[in-house]
Amino acid sequence: DAGVIQSPRHEVTEMGQEVTLRCKPISGHNSLFWYRQTMMRGLELLIYFNNNVPIDDSGMPEDRFSAKMPNASFSTLKIQPSEPRDSAVYFCASSFGGAGGNTIYFGEGSWLTVV
Amino acid sequence: SQQGEEDPQALSIQEGENATMNCSYKTSINNLQWYRQNSGRGLVHLILIRSNEREKHSGRLRVTLDTSKKSSSLLITASRAADTASYFCATDGSSNTGKLIFGQGTTLQVKP
């Protein structure tokens, strides 16, 4: 299995631009998670999907952030407009049956720098 | 807010020594997991311990769980330079929401 695939791996963008991060979960997994990692705040859960439906988006910081999962094999996290404080590593992760009692598998992350 | 908090934040040891990392959490849990993150990489699952278990082993890893103290520890025995990484505990909370909340992590450096 190829694992969780994220793109782009690195992105540098100017403040105010739209950023779209993409994720392909492991085939057969029905839960998908977007996390953000910074030195200051550590790993934060942004949003969690189960069977393509957003279950918990309480971690999404502002209306500038949105996430979609149009099908079981693809998800996007969009930031519009981007700000320098959005600079972070964004991880997508997937699991089968929810993360509570199961292993979640992380992608390699998308390193975002907003200047 | 973070559910788990690791202690210490950073640990530096010599190769061959044992490394112990601790995790405390706030609410009741069903499961607790430990993950490892190498620099610049994603997190990798190490071990899961359920709330009715007290100890679990996997190779050189030993995890304990004390639900009365809301704490867990990860012991890495006979450490190697390749064990250098950050280690995170993650909990699910008792409400079985299906999501994992991670602690701040312990950064382990193993000197050759």
Side-chain angles (χ1 to χ4, degrees):
Chain A
D1 200 314
V4 176
I5 300 172
Q6 291 186 245
S7 65
R9 285 297 316 278
H10 298 271
E11 177 147 352
V12 180
T13 191
E14 291 185 346
M15 182 174 63
Q17 296 297 306
E18 177 178 293
V19 174
T20 299
L21 308 178
R22 298 172 177 80
C23 175
K24 177 178 167 50
I26 292 173
S27 178
H29 283 187
N30 60 354
S31 294
L32 184 139
F33 311 85
W34 282 101
Y35 285 89
R36 177 172 69 177
Q37 186 176 37
T38 60
M39 289 292 291
M40 290 294 294
R41 300 173 69 89
L43 264 167
E44 302 173 278
L45 177 64
L46 301 178
I47 188 167
Y48 155 46
F49 291 87
N50 185 250
N51 293 323
N52 312 338
V53 176
I55 301 300
D56 186 339
D57 65 354
S58 59
M60 296 286 265
E62 307 171 28
D63 291 346
R64 298 184 298 105
F65 285 70
S66 62
K68 293 182 179 179
M69 191 164 186
N71 56 62
S73 58
F74 184 65
S75 177
T76 58
L77 178 67
K78 188 172 292 187
I79 309 172
Q80 167 64 19
S82 58
E83 297 181 4
R85 59 195 169 113
D86 302 330
S87 297
V89 184
Y90 291 82
F91 287 103
C92 177
S94 71
S95 72
F96 180 74
N102 303 292
T103 299
I104 62 173
Y105 296 83
F106 282 77
E108 293 295 284
S110 291
W111 296 67
L112 174 65
T113 302
V114 183
V115 297
Chain B
S1 63
Q2 298 296 330
Q3 163 71 317
E5 293 186 5
E6 284 89 343
D7 168 53
Q9 289 190 332
L11 181 61
S12 182
I13 60 174
Q14 292 293 138
E15 207 165 27
E17 295 180 339
N18 295 342
T20 299
M21 289 158 270
N22 303 297
C23 167
S24 60
Y25 55 92
K26 298 173 184 173
T27 65
S28 298
I29 61 170
N30 293 309
N31 306 283
L32 184 143
Q33 302 187 38
W34 284 90
Y35 285 76
R36 163 192 168 131
Q37 183 181 30
N38 285 46
S39 181
R41 306 297 298 275
L43 282 76
V44 175
H45 178 260
L46 293 176
I47 198 164
L48 179 153
I49 187 165
R50 302 191 187 280
S51 59
N52 62 353
E53 297 176 311
R54 291 296 166 259
E55 188 172 310
K56 204 161 182 180
H57 297 255
S58 176
R60 293 184 297 111
L61 305 181
R62 173 180 168 245
V63 168
T64 62
L65 179 64
D66 187 334
T67 52
S68 66
K69 295 181 180 178
K70 290 187 170 60
S71 68
S72 173
S73 67
L74 170 67
L75 168 67
I76 304 174
T77 60
S79 63
R80 305 167 182 168
D83 295 327
T84 294
S86 292
Y87 293 82
F88 295 86
C89 69
T91 55
D92 61 346
S94 60
S95 57
N96 199 23
T97 58
K99 63 184 185 183
L100 275 184
I101 304 298
F102 286 82
Q104 294 281 24
T106 292
T107 299
L108 172 66
Q109 182 186 29
V110 182
K111 300 175 186 175

